[in-house]
Amino acid sequence: MTVEVPNTDQLRVVGVGCGEPKKSMGWFHLQQMLGDPRLKFDAVVEPWFLGAGKEAPGSEAFAKFCEEMRAKHPDVLLCSSTEELPMLRGPDDPPVLAVIAGRTCDAPKLFRGMCERGVSHIYLEKPGAESAADLEDLALLAREQGVAVVVGYNKNVSDYVQGALAQLEGMEDMSPTVVLEHNNAFDTDEDLLSFVRGPGAEGLVHNMCCHELALAATLFGVTRQRVHAVVLEPDESELFELVAPKEDWRRVAYRLLLRDVEGSQQLPLAHRLPELRFVANRSGGNFSQVRVTAQGQEERCFRLPSPEQEIEVRAAQAEGPEVRPYFFQQATDYQRLRGGFAQHILEGLPGTPPGVVDLRGAVETLRLADMIAHALRECHQAGEPWLYPIPQTA
């Protein structure tokens, strides 16, 4: 049975995956969206705290969140699964957006469940699945059902990345080098272990480096076929133990050595670089940056947050010290990415907005992540020369 949809200028939304308040990305999305007058919430689906995790750590904070939701938004359905939702729209009804921000391992099931409920658009928190093969299955389903999907790689719309690209285009014939760097601010092992055993369980490469790999795939023209070697930098890399014998990177630095592209002179300089360097550190601070260098020139750093944004971030952290710091750092970009998608839908435009990462770009990002995660393990086990060759595929 199809829900009767009123004639309205608001976009109907279902939030899927709230998680623990102040700790989970889904909660942060909800906080931003509930203050957006363009959006009308139909439901919030929370599989863990409304299901098997009713007594789990964080459940008291979530119960308080539910009380506030029922008081302020009494018409919003709170449920534990997509199966509890009604059919959200028929073929001729206005669009409905699902914002999916559950655990990565749960994302494919939640994605399929929302497609079954008839949504027209999905914002899928990155990386969207645990492997490229799983994400390709979701891309096929989206094509079959005509669902437009944006994947939550917010750095693609960030000012600091656009500034670095503009700088790079002015460096033709200078043989520039580029470093894509991402730092988090987990100050204690306890905080870090809590994260990597929960929301970040897919590992540093898939959970953290995937942001920079999305930039590489969509803005620097990097594909699996272009990578001819992965080089680990051991002095800048460190593993730590999760549950023996499982390990993950606390910090890692590596380079991708890249093959030339046929007809590359017609491409932007960013697509013609012979290599890209990546740096990621779970405890390196609350910032990301792109570093651009050319021989004989001073290094230029394009940073998130900017000095002006850093003042705002620190003020927000002082008001909400229990909230994960990187939520504040990336708040503007998430608003721009997700809000831009909502506006795109409200204006009746097809597909996804320009410049965002769609499922095609997200699949290539996960292909790179799958390959690099394996290559880094092999480099670490083999030792010198810390290089893992990638055979060229057809």
Side-chain angles (χ1 to χ4, degrees):
M1 174 178 160
T2 301
V3 172
E4 193 68 30
V5 181
N7 185 14
T8 176
D9 292 332
Q10 289 183 303
L11 173 63
R12 294 169 58 215
V13 179
V14 176
V16 185
C18 171
E20 183 178 353
K22 301 183 180 181
K23 304 295 183 185
S24 297
M25 193 71 240
W27 170 85
F28 189 70
H29 282 308
L30 289 172
Q31 296 307 299
Q32 288 192 320
M33 291 189 293
L34 287 167
D36 190 333
R38 298 171 299 174
L39 308 180
K40 180 184 181 298
F41 262 85
D42 279 15
V44 173
V45 180
E46 170 46 43
W48 177 242
F49 287 121
L50 289 176
K54 287 181 179 178
E55 305 296 328
S59 58
E60 290 185 9
F62 181 77
K64 184 178 179 182
F65 164 81
C66 288
E67 288 177 12
E68 294 171 353
M69 283 291 294
R70 293 184 179 107
K72 296 179 182 178
H73 308 279
D75 295 333
V76 175
L77 172 65
L78 300 176
C79 57
S80 65
S81 70
T82 58
E83 288 84 356
E84 295 177 53
L85 295 170
M87 185 61 68
L88 294 165
R89 61 185 290 277
D92 300 321
D93 289 329
V96 177
L97 169 66
V99 177
I100 301 176
R103 296 185 306 170
T104 299
C105 60
D106 297 329
K109 179 181 178 181
L110 297 173
F111 188 101
R112 292 186 179 93
M114 293 312 299
C115 286
E116 290 171 1
R117 288 297 177 264
V119 297
S120 56
H121 297 76
I122 292 177
Y123 177 101
L124 178 64
E125 192 49 65
K126 60 83 188 169
E130 292 186 298
S131 71
D134 290 339
L135 200 58
E136 285 175 300
D137 289 342
L138 300 186
L140 177 60
L141 175 62
R143 285 196 298 271
E144 290 174 346
Q145 300 204 5
V147 177
V149 182
V150 165
V151 182
Y153 288 107
N154 58 297
K155 291 182 178 179
N156 278 63
V157 300
S158 187
D159 291 337
Y160 86 104
V161 172
Q162 298 306 315
L165 289 173
Q167 171 73 19
L168 192 59
E169 283 310 303
M171 301 178 75
E172 194 75 51
D173 301 324
M174 295 184 186
S175 302
T177 61
V178 174
V179 181
L180 303 178
E181 182 175 348
H182 185 167
N183 296 277
N184 284 163
F186 291 100
D187 294 328
T188 68
D189 283 352
E190 182 181 359
D191 286 344
L192 178 55
L193 285 169
S194 174
F195 179 76
V196 298
R197 289 170 177 168
E202 59 268 36
L204 181 142
V205 173
H206 286 76
N207 173 266
M208 190 173 173
C209 289
C210 65
H211 276 289
E212 283 61 43
L213 292 176
L215 296 176
T218 58
L219 300 179
F220 289 84
V222 178
T223 63
R224 287 178 306 169
Q225 288 76 16
R226 278 198 68 199
V227 179
H228 74 80
V230 178
V231 182
L232 175 68
E233 299 181 7
D235 292 342
E236 302 294 328
S237 304
E238 178 187 358
L239 285 165
F240 73 105
E241 188 175 277
L242 299 177
V243 178
K246 187 178 180 182
E247 295 179 315
D248 190 22
W249 298 101
R250 182 187 299 273
R251 59 190 178 104
V252 70
Y254 59 92
R255 288 177 290 131
L256 301 184
L257 308 185
L258 303 171
R259 298 182 174 94
D260 290 336
V261 179
E262 188 174 345
S264 61
Q265 290 308 308
Q266 283 70 49
L267 297 172
L269 180 58
H271 289 242
R272 292 184 272 123
L273 298 173
E275 69 175 61
L276 271 177
R277 183 170 181 255
F278 297 79
V279 176
N281 190 336
R282 293 284 199 192
S283 304
N286 187 30
F287 71 96
S288 296
Q289 61 184 359
V290 180
R291 292 186 269 146
V292 182
T293 313
Q295 189 172 6
Q297 291 197 356
E298 186 176 343
E299 182 179 72
R300 290 289 308 274
C301 292
F302 299 84
R303 181 180 165 110
L304 174 74
S306 67
E308 297 78 16
Q309 289 171 320
E310 193 150 11
I311 295 172
E312 298 173 2
V313 169
R314 286 178 178 171
Q317 283 183 259
E319 290 184 15
E322 296 177 352
V323 178
R324 294 206 188 278
Y326 61 83
F327 291 169
F328 298 129
Q329 179 210 98
Q330 300 177 29
T332 298
D333 293 335
Y334 271 113
Q335 194 77 276
R336 181 182 296 170
L337 175 61
R338 195 191 53 247
F341 190 28
Q343 189 61 37
H344 184 89
I345 299 166
L346 285 166
E347 292 176 5
L349 300 172
T352 59
V356 304
V357 179
D358 58 13
L359 276 175
R360 181 178 178 182
V363 166
E364 189 57 52
T365 298
L366 272 188
R367 287 172 178 164
L368 288 169
D370 292 347
M371 178 189 71
I372 290 165
H374 173 75
L376 292 176
R377 287 194 300 269
E378 293 295 317
C379 285
H380 184 263
Q381 290 174 5
E384 293 184 357
W386 311 103
L387 182 147
Y388 185 81
I390 307 295
Q392 189 162 17
T393 56

Coordinates of all heavy atoms in Angstrom, one line a residue, residues 212-246:
E212 N 40.7 10.2 1.1 CA 41.8 10.6 0.2 C 41.8 9.7 -1.1 O 42.1 10.3 -2.2 CB 43.1 10.6 0.9 CG 43.4 11.7 1.8 CD 42.4 11.8 3.0 OE1 42.0 10.8 3.6 OE2 41.9 12.9 3.3
L213 N 41.4 8.5 -1.0 CA 41.4 7.6 -2.2 C 40.2 8.1 -3.1 O 40.3 7.9 -4.3 CB 41.2 6.2 -1.8 CG 42.5 5.6 -1.1 CD1 42.2 4.1 -0.6 CD2 43.7 5.6 -2.0
A214 N 39.1 8.6 -2.5 CA 38.0 9.1 -3.3 C 38.5 10.3 -4.1 O 38.2 10.5 -5.2 CB 36.8 9.5 -2.4
L215 N 39.3 11.2 -3.4 CA 39.9 12.3 -4.1 C 40.8 11.8 -5.3 O 40.8 12.4 -6.4 CB 40.7 13.2 -3.2 CG 40.0 13.9 -2.0 CD1 41.0 14.6 -1.1 CD2 38.9 14.8 -2.5
A216 N 41.6 10.8 -5.0 CA 42.5 10.3 -6.0 C 41.7 9.7 -7.2 O 42.1 10.0 -8.3 CB 43.4 9.2 -5.4
A217 N 40.6 9.0 -6.9 CA 39.9 8.3 -8.0 C 39.1 9.3 -8.8 O 39.0 9.2 -10.0 CB 38.9 7.3 -7.4
T218 N 38.6 10.4 -8.2 CA 37.6 11.3 -8.9 C 38.3 12.6 -9.3 O 37.8 13.2 -10.3 CB 36.4 11.6 -8.0 OG1 36.9 12.2 -6.8 CG2 35.6 10.4 -7.7
L219 N 39.3 13.1 -8.6 CA 39.9 14.4 -9.0 C 41.4 14.2 -9.5 O 41.9 15.2 -10.1 CB 39.9 15.3 -7.8 CG 38.5 15.6 -7.2 CD1 38.6 16.5 -6.0 CD2 37.6 16.2 -8.2
F220 N 42.0 13.1 -9.3 CA 43.4 12.9 -9.7 C 43.5 11.8 -10.8 O 44.6 11.4 -11.1 CB 44.3 12.6 -8.5 CG 44.6 13.8 -7.7 CD1 43.7 14.1 -6.7 CD2 45.7 14.6 -7.9 CE1 43.9 15.2 -5.8 CE2 45.9 15.7 -7.1 CZ 45.0 16.1 -6.0
G221 N 42.4 11.2 -11.2 CA 42.4 10.2 -12.3 C 43.1 8.9 -12.0 O 43.6 8.2 -12.8
V222 N 43.1 8.5 -10.7 CA 43.8 7.3 -10.3 C 42.8 6.1 -10.3 O 41.7 6.2 -9.8 CB 44.3 7.4 -8.8 CG1 45.0 6.1 -8.4 CG2 45.4 8.5 -8.8
T223 N 43.2 5.1 -11.0 CA 42.4 3.8 -11.1 C 43.4 2.7 -10.7 O 44.6 2.8 -10.7 CB 41.9 3.6 -12.5 OG1 43.0 3.4 -13.4 CG2 41.0 4.7 -13.0
R224 N 42.8 1.5 -10.5 CA 43.7 0.3 -10.3 C 44.6 0.1 -11.4 O 45.8 -0.3 -11.2 CB 42.8 -0.9 -10.1 CG 42.0 -1.0 -8.8 CD 41.2 -2.3 -8.8 NE 40.3 -2.3 -10.0 CZ 39.6 -3.4 -10.4 NH1 39.7 -4.5 -9.7 NH2 38.9 -3.4 -11.5
Q225 N 44.1 0.3 -12.7 CA 45.0 0.0 -13.8 C 46.2 1.0 -13.9 O 47.2 0.6 -14.5 CB 44.1 0.2 -15.1 CG 43.1 -1.0 -15.3 CD 41.9 -0.9 -14.4 OE1 41.6 0.2 -13.8 NE2 41.2 -2.0 -14.3
R226 N 46.0 2.2 -13.3 CA 47.2 3.1 -13.4 C 48.2 2.8 -12.4 O 49.4 3.3 -12.5 CB 46.6 4.6 -13.2 CG 46.1 5.2 -14.4 CD 46.0 6.7 -14.2 NE 47.3 7.3 -14.2 CZ 47.6 8.5 -13.7 NH1 46.7 9.2 -13.1 NH2 48.9 8.9 -13.7
V227 N 47.9 2.1 -11.3 CA 48.9 1.9 -10.2 C 49.8 0.8 -10.6 O 49.4 -0.4 -10.9 CB 48.2 1.6 -8.9 CG1 49.2 1.3 -7.8 CG2 47.2 2.7 -8.5
H228 N 51.1 1.1 -10.7 CA 52.0 -0.1 -11.0 C 52.8 -0.5 -9.8 O 53.5 -1.6 -9.8 CB 53.0 0.3 -12.2 CG 54.1 1.3 -11.9 ND1 55.2 0.9 -11.2 CD2 54.2 2.6 -12.2 CE1 56.0 2.0 -11.2 NE2 55.4 3.0 -11.7
A229 N 52.7 0.3 -8.7 CA 53.4 -0.2 -7.4 C 52.9 0.6 -6.2 O 52.5 1.8 -6.4 CB 54.9 -0.1 -7.5
V230 N 52.8 -0.1 -5.1 CA 52.5 0.6 -3.8 C 53.8 0.5 -3.0 O 54.4 -0.6 -2.8 CB 51.4 -0.1 -3.1 CG1 51.1 0.6 -1.7 CG2 50.1 -0.1 -3.9
V231 N 54.2 1.7 -2.4 CA 55.5 1.7 -1.7 C 55.1 2.2 -0.2 O 54.6 3.3 0.0 CB 56.5 2.7 -2.3 CG1 57.8 2.7 -1.5 CG2 56.8 2.4 -3.7
L232 N 55.4 1.3 0.7 CA 55.2 1.6 2.2 C 56.4 2.4 2.7 O 57.6 2.1 2.4 CB 55.0 0.3 3.0 CG 54.9 0.5 4.5 CD1 53.6 1.1 4.9 CD2 55.0 -0.9 5.1
E233 N 56.1 3.4 3.5 CA 57.2 4.2 4.2 C 57.2 3.7 5.6 O 56.4 4.2 6.5 CB 56.9 5.7 4.1 CG 56.9 6.2 2.6 CD 56.6 7.7 2.5 OE1 56.6 8.4 3.5 OE2 56.4 8.1 1.4
P234 N 58.1 2.8 6.0 CA 58.1 2.1 7.3 C 58.3 3.1 8.5 O 57.8 2.9 9.5 CB 59.2 1.1 7.2 CG 60.1 1.5 6.1 CD 59.2 2.3 5.1
D235 N 59.1 4.1 8.3 CA 59.4 5.0 9.4 C 58.2 5.8 9.8 O 58.2 6.4 10.9 CB 60.6 5.9 9.0 CG 61.9 5.2 8.9 OD1 62.0 4.0 9.4 OD2 62.9 5.7 8.3
E236 N 57.2 6.0 8.9 CA 56.0 6.8 9.1 C 54.8 5.9 9.4 O 53.7 6.4 9.3 CB 55.8 7.7 7.9 CG 56.9 8.6 7.6 CD 57.2 9.7 8.7 OE1 56.2 10.0 9.4 OE2 58.3 10.1 8.9
S237 N 55.1 4.6 9.6 CA 53.9 3.6 9.7 C 54.1 2.8 10.9 O 55.2 2.4 11.4 CB 53.9 2.7 8.4 OG 53.9 3.5 7.2
E238 N 52.9 2.5 11.5 CA 52.9 1.8 12.8 C 51.6 1.0 13.0 O 50.5 1.5 12.8 CB 53.0 2.7 14.0 CG 53.0 2.1 15.4 CD 53.0 3.2 16.5 OE1 53.0 4.4 16.1 OE2 52.9 2.8 17.6
L239 N 51.8 -0.3 13.3 CA 50.6 -1.2 13.5 C 50.3 -1.3 15.0 O 51.2 -1.0 15.9 CB 50.9 -2.6 13.0 CG 50.8 -2.8 11.5 CD1 51.4 -4.1 11.1 CD2 49.4 -2.7 11.0
F240 N 49.1 -1.6 15.4 CA 48.7 -1.9 16.8 C 47.8 -3.0 16.8 O 47.0 -3.3 15.8 CB 48.2 -0.6 17.5 CG 46.8 -0.2 17.1 CD1 45.7 -0.5 18.0 CD2 46.6 0.4 15.9 CE1 44.4 -0.2 17.6 CE2 45.3 0.8 15.6 CZ 44.2 0.5 16.4
E241 N 47.7 -3.7 17.9 CA 46.9 -4.9 18.0 C 45.5 -4.6 18.4 O 45.3 -3.9 19.4 CB 47.6 -5.9 19.0 CG 46.9 -7.3 19.0 CD 47.7 -8.2 20.0 OE1 48.7 -8.8 19.5 OE2 47.2 -8.4 21.1
L242 N 44.5 -5.2 17.7 CA 43.1 -5.1 18.1 C 42.8 -6.2 19.0 O 42.7 -6.1 20.2 CB 42.3 -5.1 16.9 CG 42.5 -3.9 15.9 CD1 41.6 -4.1 14.7 CD2 42.3 -2.6 16.5
V243 N 42.5 -7.4 18.4 CA 42.3 -8.6 19.2 C 43.2 -9.6 18.5 O 43.1 -9.9 17.3 CB 40.9 -9.1 19.1 CG1 40.7 -10.4 19.9 CG2 39.9 -8.0 19.7
A244 N 44.2 -10.1 19.2 CA 45.2 -11.0 18.7 C 44.5 -12.1 17.8 O 43.6 -12.7 18.3 CB 46.1 -11.6 19.8
P245 N 45.0 -12.4 16.6 CA 46.2 -11.8 16.0 C 45.9 -10.6 15.0 O 46.7 -10.2 14.2 CB 46.8 -12.9 15.2 CG 45.5 -13.7 14.7 CD 44.5 -13.5 15.8
K246 N 44.7 -10.1 15.1 CA 44.2 -9.0 14.2 C 44.9 -7.7 14.6 O 45.0 -7.3 15.7 CB 42.7 -8.8 14.3 CG 42.2 -7.8 13.2 CD 40.7 -7.7 13.3 CE 40.2 -6.8 12.2 NZ 38.7 -6.6 12.3

